[in-house]
Amino acid sequence: MVARRRLGRRFGWLWAAYAVSTFGTRLAFDAFALIAILVLHAGPTKVSVLAAAGLAVGAVVAVPLGPWVEFRRKRPVMVAMDLTRFVALMSVPAAYALGLLGFVQLLVVSVVVGAADIAFNAAGGAYLKAIVRPEDLVVASGRFESTNWTATVLGPPLGTAAIGFCGPVLTVVTDAVSHLLSAAGIRAIGGHEPQPVRAGTKKVRLRFGGLFEGWRYILAHPALRPLFLNTVLVSGLIMATSPLLAVLMLGDLGFAPWQYGLAFGLPCVGGIIGSRLAPRLVARFGRHRVMLTAGTLRACWLLGPAFVRPGVAGLVLVIVVEFGLITCMGVFNPVFAAYRLDRTATDRVARTLSAWSVTSKATVAVMTGLWGLLAGITGPRVAIAVAGLLMLLTPFLLPRHDHTPHHERDLARSPT
């Protein structure tokens, strides 16, 4: 079967490193917010600032990292970013043990971790393209996506239980150690990775103009430009409504915390199902058609939570809506990731992925703030409805034409 295709030892180690760090991060889900609330007694304003500023400032800090990553060996960069995250995260329990932990430190650590995440993902995407054949990219991306949703299903409930027994600082230690294990896994890949070549005459350009090369490349590309606008807007709308739905369900409608957790934990199974289906669907229908269909269906669900009501019926509505959304995302995300890597020139991958991540994280931060203001004026239900209506327009930003060469389409449809 296409989803069981062997992708080699190097991919196996990369996948294992990704899995362990992803599970560690999901176990520590919302740990910083809980530390701010339970340990530092921060109010809602500070907690919101911690979430938004960590994304926005981390994205800004990561801007020069794209060109820096592009012209270095990718495995050492990934190891360095894992170790950076380990040291930054371990500073939190160390400061807590010494009685020195403060809000500013949490903010700084969240920025450092956010910037390191972007650099790691940029290097990881470039390395994945180097070790996996183009026709196997959907399978490889599907395995990462399935791992991500599995960790999302299991991590937060286990992490919440651990926080209840041991406090939120322990989950931060777990997250830090997971990055250390990830670094060890990436080191275990072994083998020789050639140094990317750059001409000496381009050094000045790479330091200054090169900072924006990723955006220039994306916006000039006929396939990547609409996909960029679509994915950035979709992620911004989804994330902007998440805290509003929490306020609506836990505050206005009186759902219990366990019901809220169930409403968002159970549908993540759809992400596992979707990511497992993605390679089979691509093999049968082709990459572009699957991406266009899943991307269109993904836009149909966000309006649903605006109509949630108290009681079992309301809980079922949220579960159904989230399951539909996440299943479509599970299909779309690996196909999109493979398509993006295929359409990006090898010597532009790190800068392109960095620019993409920076824009996405900054957009999420800005839109979360804007939708918070809108909810303050109109109420969370109306703000969610506005996001849902805007979401219905996002399929028009998907690339309408298949830019894949005919021989690559044939490979994508190959069942072996």
Side-chain angles (χ1 to χ4, degrees):
M1 296 294 291
V2 65
R4 296 179 182 176
R5 188 180 299 166
R6 290 185 175 276
L7 302 183
R9 174 184 173 278
R10 290 185 297 174
F11 174 79
W13 276 112
L14 183 64
W15 187 17
Y18 174 82
V20 71
S21 64
T22 301
F23 271 92
T25 299
R26 293 296 182 269
L27 282 169
F29 179 72
D30 275 350
F32 274 25
L34 292 173
I35 290 173
I37 294 168
L38 300 177
V39 178
L40 303 180
H41 309 291
T45 301
K46 280 192 172 182
V47 174
S48 298
V49 167
L50 180 63
L55 283 173
V57 181
V60 172
V61 171
V63 169
L65 293 179
W68 180 80
V69 171
E70 193 77 78
F71 297 101
R72 282 163 176 79
R73 294 184 178 94
K74 305 305 182 287
R75 281 178 48 231
V77 170
M78 288 189 283
V79 171
M81 294 303 105
D82 267 335
L83 295 179
T84 298
R85 290 184 286 191
F86 169 75
V87 172
L89 289 168
M90 283 301 296
S91 73
V92 173
Y96 174 76
L98 296 172
L100 300 175
L101 183 63
F103 180 79
V104 173
Q105 181 179 352
L106 285 183
L107 188 60
V108 171
V109 171
S110 68
V111 169
V112 171
V113 171
D117 285 344
I118 293 174
F120 181 93
N121 291 334
Y127 188 68
L128 179 66
K129 182 171 182 176
I131 65 172
V132 173
R133 296 179 302 175
E135 60 269 27
D136 289 333
L137 282 174
V138 173
V139 176
S141 300
R143 290 177 186 175
F144 284 127
E145 186 73 10
S146 178
T147 300
N148 177 59
W149 287 114
T150 302
T152 303
V153 171
L154 300 176
L158 294 175
T160 302
I163 287 170
F165 284 109
C166 306
V169 174
L170 178 63
T171 60
V172 176
V173 175
T174 304
D175 189 14
V177 172
S178 75
H179 293 300
L180 187 63
L181 294 175
S182 172
I186 293 169
R187 286 276 298 171
I189 293 174
H192 175 69
E193 181 184 355
Q195 175 71 39
V197 178
R198 65 174 178 182
T201 57
K202 294 186 177 181
K203 287 184 179 180
V204 175
R205 185 175 183 274
L206 290 171
R207 286 184 180 178
F208 297 99
L211 297 179
F212 304 100
E213 181 61 32
W215 284 285
R216 282 198 292 265
Y217 185 79
I218 292 168
L219 296 177
H221 198 291
L224 294 181
R225 182 175 60 251
L227 197 57
F228 173 71
L229 297 173
N230 172 272
T231 55
V232 167
L233 182 57
V234 167
S235 64
L237 289 170
I238 291 173
M239 296 305 295
T241 58
S242 180
L244 306 185
L245 190 54
V247 170
L248 180 63
M249 292 182 67
L250 297 173
D252 298 353
L253 301 180
F255 285 98
W258 72 266
Q259 292 174 311
Y260 176 78
L262 180 66
F264 289 93
L266 186 59
C268 291
V269 175
I272 301 172
I273 295 171
S275 60
R276 297 290 293 174
L277 285 175
R280 295 175 174 86
L281 293 173
V282 168
R284 181 167 184 176
F285 299 107
R287 183 180 298 175
H288 182 264
R289 184 181 298 179
V290 172
M291 185 173 67
L292 187 61
T293 302
T296 300
L297 293 175
R298 181 188 53 167
C300 301
W301 301 96
L302 196 60
L303 189 59
F307 301 99
V308 65
R309 291 290 182 266
V312 175
L315 183 62
V316 171
L317 172 64
V318 175
I319 290 175
V320 170
V321 167
E322 291 297 319
F323 182 85
L325 174 63
I326 292 172
T327 301
C328 293
M329 291 170 61
V331 175
F332 177 87
N333 288 348
V335 181
F336 146 70
Y339 185 89
R340 180 175 60 180
L341 285 176
D342 255 359
R343 303 275 68 80
T344 304
T346 301
D347 63 345
R348 305 287 181 89
V349 172
R351 283 172 287 180
T352 299
L353 296 184
S354 292
W356 211 296
S357 295
V358 165
T359 306
S360 182
K361 289 179 182 291
T363 301
V364 167
V366 170
M367 293 184 72
T368 299
L370 290 176
W371 254 256
L373 293 175
L374 179 61
I377 298 171
T378 66
R381 196 182 295 275
V382 173
I384 292 170
V386 171
L389 291 172
L390 289 175
M391 187 78 156
L392 294 174
L393 301 176
T394 58
F396 294 103
L397 295 174
L398 290 168
R400 313 309 298 180
H401 303 289
D402 190 357
H403 295 269
T404 307
H406 289 289
H407 72 279
E408 291 187 21
R409 295 182 208 174
D410 294 337
L411 285 173
R413 293 187 176 95
S414 174
T416 60

